[in-house]
Structure formats: C-alpha cells, structure tokens
Amino acid sequence: RLREIAGSVSLASDFIVGFPGETEEDFLQTVDLVNRAGYKNSFIFKYSPREGTSAAGLPDDVSIADKKRRNNTLLDFQKASSLEHNRSFVSRVATVLVDGPSKKGPLGLAGRTEGEEIVIFDGPESLIGSFVDVRITRATAITLFGQWQSEG
C-alpha cells in the first residue's frame, strides 16, 4: 500500500531465521514476504540465544542445519530482490549525495541516492559533500555504478 500512496519507495529490514518455535511454514511465510515486499536489502541472521533477552529462556528447538539452510535460502531470495531493485536504476539518472572517495572498485567517488542506494562513479574530489546527477550504467545486488553528468 505504501508504494500505491507514495510511488517509488525503498524498503529494508532485518530478519532472524531459526527463532525458537519457528516452523518450516513460518519460514516459508517469511520467504514469501521477502519476495512480495521487494526489499532493496535486508540483514539476515541465524538465531542464537543472547543473555538478558526474552528469547534467552526459550528452548532453542531449531537445528543448526535448519538455521543454516534457512539463512542461506533467505539470503539467496534477498540477493535476487536486491539485484532486481538495483537493475531498475540502470539507464536512469539518479541524484547522488557524494560521501567521499570510493573504497572499492576502479572508480573514484562513492555516494548515495535518496533511497540510500550506494553509487560508485568517477569524478573530481571537489564533488564530495554535494548533490550530483549520475547516469546509472550497471548494477549489482549491492552497488550501482554510473557516470557523473557534469554540467559542462
């Protein structure tokens, strides 16, 4: 409904798989949610007891093997969702707040769109701290890559 009201929205979430009492049906409902919601990214963790939490007193009744399988399955679905989300930017121009030099890849600068998508592109360091237009040329599940649309 949020997308119907607000249009383009980037969603992110956190998930814990293998929580005490989680059934296979519960897990499949989580997978369905990830598929339907189209999260741009999610942080996915295997449950482990943490002292001082309400869950610490619950029986840890999901096997380690099931936790690993569920974690990997959900990560695979999320990766596909992230890639689809990021590919929707290819060929479009995005406004990017330039954070600083890129820590990865051959290009020089890194920034973020208003939806918090990471964008790597080439440009002078004088752009750091400003908003610039970047034409997105390629996408991975984690990062967008593009070309700065210089004003000249």
Side-chain angles (χ1 to χ4, degrees), residues 18-22 47-50 52-62 67:
F19 194 82
E22 180 187 65
Y47 171 79
S48 61
R50 296 288 190 260
T53 65
S54 299
L58 298 174
D60 191 4
D61 58 355
V62 179
K67 288 178 189 178

Side-chain angles (χ1 to χ4, degrees), residues 42-95:
S42 294
F43 295 99
I44 300 166
F45 306 95
K46 296 181 295 279
Y47 171 79
S48 61
R50 296 288 190 260
E51 217 175 289
T53 65
S54 299
L58 298 174
D60 191 4
D61 58 355
V62 179
S63 73
I64 292 171
D66 279 341
K67 288 178 189 178
K68 286 181 180 178
R69 178 185 53 79
R70 290 174 186 178
N71 189 73
N72 289 334
T73 298
L74 199 56
L75 283 169
D76 288 345
F77 277 99
Q78 181 55 61
K79 183 176 180 181
S81 180
S82 296
L83 183 58
E84 181 180 341
H85 172 83
N86 282 351
R87 281 183 175 162
S88 74
F89 283 85
V90 173
S91 299
R92 292 177 22 204
V93 173
T95 300

Side-chain angles (χ1 to χ4, degrees), residues 3-25:
R3 288 189 177 112
E4 291 172 11
I5 296 167
S8 179
V9 176
S10 295
L11 301 174
S13 190
D14 293 355
F15 293 94
I16 297 174
V17 297
F19 194 82
E22 180 187 65
T23 65
E24 192 64 22
E25 182 180 332

Side-chain angles (χ1 to χ4, degrees), residues 17 27 39 42 60-61 65 71-72 79 89 95 98-99 104 113-115 126 128 135-136 139 143 148:
V17 297
F27 172 69
Y39 294 106
S42 294
D60 191 4
D61 58 355
N71 189 73
N72 289 334
K79 183 176 180 181
F89 283 85
T95 300
V98 185
D99 294 334
K104 297 180 181 178
T113 67
E114 67 181 352
S126 61
I128 294 172
R135 179 167 304 281
I136 307 303
T143 308
W148 171 47

Side-chain angles (χ1 to χ4, degrees), residues 9-10 40 85-86 89 96 111-119 142-144:
V9 176
S10 295
K40 73 167 185 153
H85 172 83
N86 282 351
F89 283 85
V96 174
R112 292 182 182 262
T113 67
E114 67 181 352
E116 291 289 315
E117 290 83 8
I118 298 167
V119 182
I142 297 171
T143 308
L144 302 172

